[in-house]
Amino acid sequence: MISAQPKTTTLPRPYTISGTGKHQILGGKASTFRPRITDKRPHVIRSVISRTGDSKSGVETAEKIVESNGSVGLSSNSGGINVRAVITIRKKMKERLTEKIEDQWESFLNAIGKGILIQLISEDIDPATKSGKSAESFVRGWLPKLSDNPYVVEYGADLIVPHDFGQPGAILITNFHDKEIFIMEIVVHGFSKGPIFFWANTWIHSKKDNPESRIIFKNQAYLPSQTPAGIKDLRREDLLSLRGNRKEERKLHERVYDYDIYNDLGNPDKSEDLVRKVLGTEEWPYPRRCRTGRPPTKRDPDSETRIEKPNPVYVPRDETFEETKQNTFAAGRLKALLHNLIPLIASKLSSSDIPFTNFSDIDDLYKIGVLLKEEEQETSIKNLFIAKVMNQVFTVGDKLLKYDMPAIIKRDRFAWLRDNEFARQALAGVNPVNIELLKELPILSKLDPEIYGPPESAITKEIIQRELNGISVEEAIKDKRLFILDYHDILLPFIEDMNSLPDRKAYASRTIFYYSETGILRPIIIELSLPSTPSSPRSKTIFTHGHDATTHWIWKLAKAHVCSNDAGVHQLVNHWLKTHACMEPYIIATHRQLSSMHPVYKLLHPHMRYTMEINALARQSLINGGGIIEACFSPGKYAMEISSAAYKSSWRFDMEALPADLLRRGVAVEDPSVPGGVKLVIEDYPYAADGLLIWSAIKELVESYVEHYYSEPNSITSDVELQAWWDEIKNKGHEDKRNEPWWPELKTQDDLSNILATIMWTASGQHAAINFGQYPFGGYPPNRPTLMRKLIPLEGHPDYEKFLQSPEFTFLTSLPTRLQATKVMAVQDTLSTHSPDEEYIHQLDHIHRSSFNDPQVQKLFENFSVELEEIERIIEQRNKNINLKNRTGAGVPPYELLLPSSAPGVTGRGIPNSISI
């Protein structure tokens, strides 16, 4: 080991530069360094130290100094105490020779003490400087490897601190390398209370990109009022550095969090066809996204220029995917998919984009695959990384792309045809969050009747009565046996525009379900509506299942239109808007207003992982003008307008908590004696039943956590960071909803617990339930078509005779084309896949070990993990209960989307902590 030469620092005046709000290494006069060179450097021995007292986990390596008499103790001299900082760095995964050479050069600079400077800041004030006491040293030498990971290395830095230095509370890091470095953790040894951990997991910019030092705080949570005096200014400065000034275009190495509207979905400079509405206005409200500061387009000053694939869109540096995720799984897969495979599929099939004409054509996607053109296949496979990545997504042979059999047809290939499966998926499918209790008749629209015609639905009491087999409508409503899936109001304003698009035909739909005495839900009536016209003021058609062949096939077409609407609302509203888009302002506000020392920041941190990066990628290739969502879903270019309209009409923060949502939809009633405080109207409602177990566990954890940190009276209202955080979420993150009266107050423990539980549920359980079933349910196009290409050919329609001659052909040619289906299947498969490095909700106790040094808090997370293990056992037992028909039976797949754990891949189960795909 190269001998490290410790230094002491004399700071004539505070290191904070007045007037700039910024932090530099040193201020005032130059520091005086006294090199201490000796041949009598104490020998180092290693001992195992447990961070939490548990010898089985959280193990760290510490060093003790061996004195000349052989005893183990702290090394000190008349000038102070010798301490050592051990810095763990994760190197980039080098592939090119030049990068490997650069890596060796960086290691050499670190070894000779020219690469990284650290400054240890005490929690105690130096009377002379009125700032935290400090000592600094360059990182020197390297330590023996402690990890089998070839990309993880450790360096040491020796410092001398005064005997009255106190406990260190922060470390300033300056990176003198030409490139950024990734610091995992810093452990400081030598203080009397044992090793002090500074969890980092952050990129440290190069000094040439930004001269300011990075601030890393030790692993202890402090409310603002509890912040030790020596690091109070650093706490404020660190937050200021994350907010930016709203002036410059952001650079990829920066860590600036700020808000902007969705004005980057279109590309007016490229084509008139790619002009899109700006979302985040009074007319088209929307949550805010991360600001990038790119210049406006030439044709539309209100729109921002786009960064097209494969170039990255700015997100704060620590929000980007880690290399392990990029190279081994989801991010790399998704980028490979969007940048390479989708264009390859399109170029193969676009010249002959034909519909499926028989069910064998669909079966061939799983049995034979899609044949790629020779030259295209050769070009793609030349890229070894893409080939490796895509082989994990699908079977990519020499000339074909073959899909895995989706779960919906793996057990029973005809299940999708049956009415009970259609209804089951409203409770246990990928979109089980829209079914509502039908509370009264007539069913009325809330749309303007001057524009959209009479508000009354064509579904009358008499029509319902004919489908009830003897029970009266009044009795059915009283006994809570009638339910509705209502997509009328959200879609009708857009139907005329949607139907003007090539090969797009849609209706606004309502579906009535009856819940029988035997516990079976079945659809009984479908209403499909088109906009009123002067010649047809009431274009509402009623469909029932019937028994003759013609009615039977028309009923299937009506169900397919409902499924298409359901797929669009699921993707644009419940999935993208209510989880991805609504989480982004919470993440931005958390970084801007809550110090990394704040207990709420620490609690939320695992639930923010990768969300901003996946959202940026979605804006680039999925929800953008001409993107995959527009190409493959019924709304086409009006997709994001529908998403905005849904945000305007129906999104409320106070209704995003699971119990509140179930009560709002009438599918549960209040009952304090059961988990979540609500009792389900339909007991066999797998999403809700399992979700309430997860929700209750999250809520219990959060309540205990809040009680631990906010036990003092008025501690919540007096927490300036917390109040600023909640204020910013309401007034900046969701600015277009800032004046709504339903925003919760933040005054009590209950207020805070409900807010935090809602955010954590949204990022974890809710997203898992509506994301990871996309391919298992949508991977078979007839079960869940993402668009329909034809209206139903009723009697008198020009195609009615063709329908009578070949109803199967009419049905299949109404579905997405082979190109559309293949593209969306590829995306659904990737979005349904878990990464090998995924972090799951039941692992929070392990994840938080590096964030806290409080054994009481750690115990809370350990109890939470134990509870989730019990929940997993309960769900598995439910999936074996033959009385629960929506989970068991011949060919019925178990409901596993809310099982906490999962293996990698498309598993149809597992709850990640965050929206990471």
Side-chain angles (χ1 to χ4, degrees):
M1 179 185 297
I2 294 179
S3 175
Q5 299 182 15
K7 304 174 182 178
T8 58
T9 306
T10 302
L11 296 177
R13 64 185 193 192
Y15 45 77
T16 302
I17 306 299
S18 60
T20 65
K22 303 293 185 179
H23 186 84
Q24 296 186 346
I25 304 166
L26 299 172
K29 298 179 181 178
S31 300
T32 303
F33 301 104
R34 297 199 302 273
R36 183 171 176 272
I37 304 174
T38 175
D39 293 329
K40 298 180 180 180
R41 185 178 183 276
H43 299 288
V44 171
I45 63 172
R46 295 187 171 274
S47 62
V48 175
I49 295 179
S50 171
R51 184 179 326 190
T52 63
D54 179 1
S55 61
K56 296 180 181 179
S57 57
V59 174
E60 296 295 331
T61 299
E63 297 177 353
K64 295 184 179 179
I65 307 300
V66 182
E67 304 291 355
S68 58
N69 61 6
S71 63
V72 179
L74 298 176
S75 175
S76 63
N77 55 37
S78 58
I81 304 171
N82 289 326
V83 298
R84 159 159 289 195
V86 178
I87 298 95
T88 304
I89 293 176
R90 190 184 68 217
K91 300 189 296 183
K92 288 188 176 181
M93 297 177 180
K94 312 294 183 183
E95 291 184 356
R96 293 180 300 178
L97 178 61
T98 54
E99 290 177 321
K100 291 181 178 179
I101 294 173
E102 290 172 353
D103 182 47
Q104 294 298 319
W105 176 247
E106 290 175 3
S107 297
F108 174 72
L109 290 178
N110 288 338
I112 63 174
K114 297 293 184 181
I116 304 168
L117 177 69
I118 71 166
Q119 188 174 1
L120 199 62
I121 308 297
S122 172
E123 293 182 342
D124 296 343
I125 287 285
D126 185 333
T129 65
K130 307 302 182 186
S131 299
K133 301 172 184 178
S134 68
E136 70 176 30
S137 173
F138 273 93
V139 171
R140 287 173 175 264
W142 50 81
L143 304 180
K145 290 185 64 60
L146 302 179
S147 169
D148 293 332
N149 189 333
Y151 302 107
V152 174
V153 295
E154 289 186 342
Y155 296 97
D158 292 340
L159 307 93
I160 297 178
V161 300
H163 290 285
D164 62 350
F165 187 81
Q167 289 292 302
I171 292 179
L172 309 185
I173 304 175
T174 309
N175 172 20
F176 287 89
H177 295 295
D178 289 337
K179 294 183 177 180
E180 63 186 1
I181 57 175
F182 188 87
I183 294 186
M184 300 173 67
E185 186 178 55
I186 303 174
V187 184
V188 178
H189 305 282
F191 286 93
S192 60
K193 294 184 180 180
I196 300 169
F197 297 92
F198 293 77
W199 176 74
N201 263 6
T202 185
W203 290 100
I204 307 295
H205 57 261
S206 169
K207 190 174 185 294
K208 74 173 188 177
D209 291 326
N210 182 350
E212 297 164 16
S213 302
R214 276 293 307 281
I215 306 169
I216 307 296
F217 296 105
K218 77 174 183 180
N219 300 2
Q220 183 163 339
Y222 290 113
L223 295 176
S225 60
Q226 300 168 341
T227 310
I231 57 174
K232 187 171 290 188
D233 287 345
L234 293 182
R235 180 172 186 145
R236 183 180 65 253
E237 291 177 20
D238 190 46
L239 281 174
L240 288 174
S241 72
L242 296 171
R243 295 174 187 167
N245 55 18
R246 295 196 62 81
K247 292 182 180 179
E248 299 92 354
E249 179 175 352
R250 301 270 62 94
K251 299 177 179 62
L252 294 178
H253 71 267
E254 293 178 327
R255 297 169 59 249
V256 173
Y257 296 79
D258 205 351
Y259 302 96
D260 212 339
I261 57 179
Y262 277 71
N263 61 353
D264 63 341
L265 300 178
N267 194 345
D269 288 348
K270 185 175 183 180
S271 169
E272 285 291 330
D273 291 336
L274 294 177
V275 174
R276 295 295 181 269
K277 300 285 188 187
V278 172
L279 306 185
T281 63
E282 184 176 353
E283 182 181 5
W284 298 102
Y286 219 60
R288 296 304 188 253
R289 63 169 176 92
C290 179
R291 179 183 179 274
T292 66
R294 298 193 301 269
T297 61
K298 296 177 181 177
R299 293 188 178 182
D300 180 9
D302 293 328
S303 294
E304 186 175 89
T305 52
R306 287 180 53 78
I307 298 291
E308 299 294 353
K309 55 189 182 185
N311 298 310
V313 176
Y314 168 80
V315 294
R317 184 64 180 97
D318 286 340
E319 305 298 327
T320 58
F321 296 130
E322 293 183 9
E323 282 184 296
T324 51
K325 187 174 178 72
Q326 290 175 346
N327 292 350
T328 62
F329 175 71
R333 275 174 44 128
L334 186 55
K335 288 182 178 178
L337 174 79
L338 298 177
H339 301 164
N340 298 273
L341 183 63
I342 292 296
L344 183 61
I345 294 172
S347 62
K348 160 60 186 170
L349 297 178
S350 58
S351 59
S352 57
D353 185 16
I354 57 177
F356 298 108
T357 55
N358 56 68
F359 285 99
S360 297
D361 292 343
I362 301 174
D363 294 341
D364 287 345
L365 293 174
Y366 320 109
K367 295 177 180 178
I368 299 174
V370 177
L371 218 59
L372 302 180
K373 290 181 181 179
E374 188 76 30
E375 64 275 11
E376 292 163 346
Q377 170 267 330
E378 186 176 329
T379 301
S380 179
I381 302 303
K382 279 182 179 177
N383 186 328
L384 296 181
F385 168 66
I386 298 301
K388 183 188 301 183
V389 166
M390 298 320 300
N391 271 322
Q392 297 173 25
V393 190
F394 321 102
T395 303
V396 182
D398 287 339
K399 297 183 180 181
L400 60 85
L401 172 72
K402 190 165 72 172
Y403 292 86
D404 291 334
M405 187 77 72
I408 188 61
I409 59 171
K410 187 174 290 185
R411 294 179 178 222
D412 180 356
R413 62 177 302 191
F414 301 113
W416 66 276
L417 285 165
R418 294 193 292 270
D419 284 354
N420 64 334
E421 178 61 23
F422 175 86
R424 190 188 76 86
Q425 290 185 32
L427 301 173
V430 71
N431 189 42
V433 297
N434 282 108
I435 189 168
E436 299 184 24
L437 181 71
L438 181 61
K439 299 177 182 178
E440 59 184 5
L441 291 173
I443 302 168
L444 298 176
S445 169
K446 296 179 182 178
L447 297 175
D448 185 350
E450 294 293 324
I451 301 174
Y452 299 104
E456 295 84 7
S457 167
I459 302 173
T460 63
K461 174 183 174 181
E462 292 72 26
I463 293 174
I464 296 175
Q465 186 65 69
R466 290 199 295 265
E467 302 298 321
L468 294 186
N469 299 325
I471 186 175
S472 70
V473 173
E474 292 82 4
E475 188 178 355
I477 291 177
K478 178 184 176 183
D479 294 345
K480 299 182 178 180
R481 296 198 174 279
L482 291 177
F483 295 84
I484 185 170
L485 199 59
D486 193 344
Y487 297 136
H488 179 275
D489 286 7
I490 191 175
L491 292 179
L492 189 63
F494 300 92
I495 292 294
E496 184 174 0
D497 287 334
M498 289 164 56
N499 287 348
S500 69
L501 299 172
D503 289 328
R504 304 288 173 97
K505 292 293 181 277
Y507 304 89
S509 63
R510 291 187 178 107
T511 307
I512 304 297
F513 298 86
Y514 176 66
Y515 181 53
S516 72
E517 293 81 355
T518 58
I520 301 298
L521 189 72
R522 61 183 177 89
I524 58 174
I525 301 165
I526 293 174
E527 176 195 71
L528 298 181
S529 301
L530 293 172
S532 299
T533 63
S535 60
S536 178
R538 188 180 179 86
S539 183
K540 300 177 182 179
T541 307
I542 297 296
F543 301 86
T544 56
H545 48 80
H547 299 287
D548 63 276
T550 301
T551 308
H552 180 74
W553 272 104
I554 287 181
W555 176 248
K556 287 191 188 325
L557 285 166
K559 287 196 299 180
H561 274 279
V562 173
C563 288
S564 175
N565 289 346
D566 191 73
V569 172
H570 162 259
Q571 198 66 264
L572 297 169
V573 180
N574 299 326
H575 181 210
W576 167 255
L577 167 65
K578 291 191 175 183
T579 62
H580 284 261
C582 285
M583 271 300 298
E584 189 153 344
Y586 310 151
I587 296 170
I588 296 172
T590 299
H591 284 280
R592 286 169 53 88
Q593 297 298 340
L594 298 179
S595 166
S596 59
M597 288 189 285
H598 198 289
V600 170
Y601 177 97
K602 288 179 176 290
L603 177 69
L604 292 180
H605 189 265
H607 305 286
M608 304 187 292
R609 186 179 187 232
Y610 296 152
T611 302
M612 293 180 71
E613 172 86 340
I614 199 68
N615 285 2
L617 189 58
R619 296 200 314 274
Q620 191 177 44
S621 299
L622 290 176
I623 63 170
N624 60 301
I628 292 169
I629 299 299
E630 288 192 0
C632 300
F633 285 79
S634 283
K637 64 188 292 185
Y638 305 103
M640 292 303 289
E641 293 179 28
I642 290 177
S643 188
S644 171
Y647 178 70
K648 184 176 187 177
S649 65
S650 63
W651 184 84
R652 294 177 48 160
F653 181 89
D654 61 329
M655 292 291 113
E656 294 305 297
L658 178 59
D661 174 61
L662 297 174
L663 291 171
R664 178 188 64 81
R665 292 191 280 124
V667 294
V669 294
E670 292 186 5
D671 185 347
S673 67
V674 295
V678 298
K679 181 180 179 181
L680 296 176
V681 172
I682 299 177
E683 180 184 357
D684 189 12
Y685 187 173
Y687 156 76
D690 295 355
L692 285 171
L693 294 177
I694 301 295
W695 165 268
S696 299
I698 292 173
K699 185 70 181 301
E700 183 180 343
L701 167 67
V702 170
E703 287 174 342
S704 299
Y705 189 89
V706 169
E707 167 65 26
H708 181 78
Y709 284 104
Y710 291 98
S711 58
E712 296 297 322
N714 303 318
S715 55
I716 289 178
T717 54
S718 63
D719 185 335
V720 292
E721 288 183 6
L722 187 69
Q723 294 298 326
W725 169 77
W726 185 233
D727 182 74
E728 186 164 292
I729 286 174
K730 295 184 295 183
N731 293 304
K732 290 188 177 181
H734 288 273
E735 183 176 340
D736 303 324
K737 295 271 191 175
R738 64 190 180 278
N739 295 321
E740 296 288 353
W742 41 253
W743 281 105
E745 293 184 320
L746 182 50
K747 295 181 178 179
T748 67
Q749 290 183 3
D750 284 345
D751 294 340
L752 180 56
S753 296
N754 284 323
I755 290 168
L756 294 177
T758 299
I759 293 173
M760 291 169 63
W761 161 255
T762 300
S764 57
Q766 181 70 355
H767 180 258
I770 59 179
N771 179 73
F772 292 104
Q774 289 194 72
Y775 188 78
F777 287 99
Y780 187 66
N783 179 65
R784 194 170 176 78
T786 55
L787 60 82
M788 296 294 284
R789 301 170 61 240
K790 296 179 180 179
L791 297 176
I792 297 175
L794 302 177
E795 194 169 355
H797 191 280
D799 291 333
Y800 185 69
E801 288 300 320
K802 293 181 182 178
F803 160 68
L804 293 178
Q805 295 296 320
S806 181
E808 178 182 331
F809 180 85
T810 299
F811 180 85
L812 289 171
T813 54
S814 298
L815 301 181
T817 64
R818 299 186 190 205
L819 171 60
Q820 290 166 332
T822 303
K823 287 169 68 175
V824 79
M825 287 165 66
V827 174
Q828 287 173 333
D829 184 277
T830 298
L831 296 181
S832 301
T833 308
H834 289 294
S835 164
D837 76 335
E838 190 63 86
E839 295 178 353
Y840 296 94
I841 193 168
H842 69 288
Q843 299 170 329
L844 276 177
D845 59 328
H846 297 288
I847 295 166
H848 277 303
R849 276 184 185 148
S850 10
S851 303
F852 294 95
N853 62 359
D854 187 331
Q856 287 181 274
V857 172
Q858 190 58 44
K859 185 64 176 177
L860 296 180
F861 290 109
E862 290 171 0
N863 292 341
F864 178 69
S865 295
V866 170
E867 186 170 358
L868 287 177
E869 290 175 5
E870 175 62 14
I871 288 172
E872 185 153 319
R873 186 188 65 80
I874 292 172
I875 293 174
E876 288 172 345
Q877 286 181 338
R878 288 175 174 177
N879 287 333
K880 297 174 183 177
N881 185 344
I882 60 174
N883 296 316
L884 300 177
K885 304 300 183 183
N886 291 322
R887 300 172 181 268
T888 61
V892 176
Y895 186 76
E896 298 181 327
L897 287 169
L898 286 170
L899 282 170
S901 67
S902 176
V906 181
T907 63
R909 60 178 287 168
I911 304 177
N913 288 314
S914 64
I915 301 170
S916 58
I917 188 64

